[in-house]
Amino acid sequence: MKRLRSILPLILALVATVLVACGGPNVAKAPPTYTPEKVAQLERYLTPVATARERMSELPDLLEKEDWVFVRNFIHGPLGQLRGSMSFISRNLLPKDQDTAARAADELFEHLDRIDLAAKDKNYPLAVQQYREAVKDFDTFLNLVPAEAS
Ligand code: ZN
């Protein structure tokens, strides 16, 4: 009994140290990470988006040929379907990346709208410039998606 009493303060001190280390307000929590379930879910939504990004490389050729009708069909067709998938992905990224992704997606659609308008006006320089901007925003978006999902 005597021995127990002498080590009790030591035990209490240890417990206090552990409590501070685990739950203390000064200790940063581990940043949130992607679970395998989340990655699988993101992957499903990413597939059409990644395909559309690949197909974006067909646009310069269409612009070069000034095939405006095709350009507009392309923007309203394959690229027009992306909004839903991209907003789902944005909302399911890590909290720190959500705003950047949502902004990049919004910008992408603004640039696509401008390409559409430029095509309507047969304005090649504007269409090409907006195409470059669209690709940049598209890649910003894709770079925020966890690599395991792509
Ligand atoms: Zn932009």
Side-chain angles (χ1 to χ4, degrees), residues 88-115:
F88 176 89
I89 292 171
S90 299
R91 280 181 276 116
N92 285 280
L93 293 177
L94 297 181
K96 70 178 173 66
D97 293 331
Q98 289 179 5
D99 285 350
T100 316
R103 259 201 311 278
D106 283 349
E107 272 208 39
L108 167 64
F109 291 110
E110 268 174 41
H111 294 306
L112 291 178
D113 281 347
R114 289 190 199 134
I115 297 173

Side-chain angles (χ1 to χ4, degrees), residues 59 63 66-73 75 112-124 126-127:
L59 260 181
L63 294 174
E66 310 216 354
D67 191 344
W68 302 119
V69 173
F70 210 108
V71 167
R72 300 191 69 197
N73 287 342
I75 287 172
L112 291 178
D113 281 347
R114 289 190 199 134
I115 297 173
D116 186 44
L117 287 176
K120 213 166 129 189
D121 294 341
K122 306 182 176 16
N123 184 338
Y124 175 78
L126 181 63

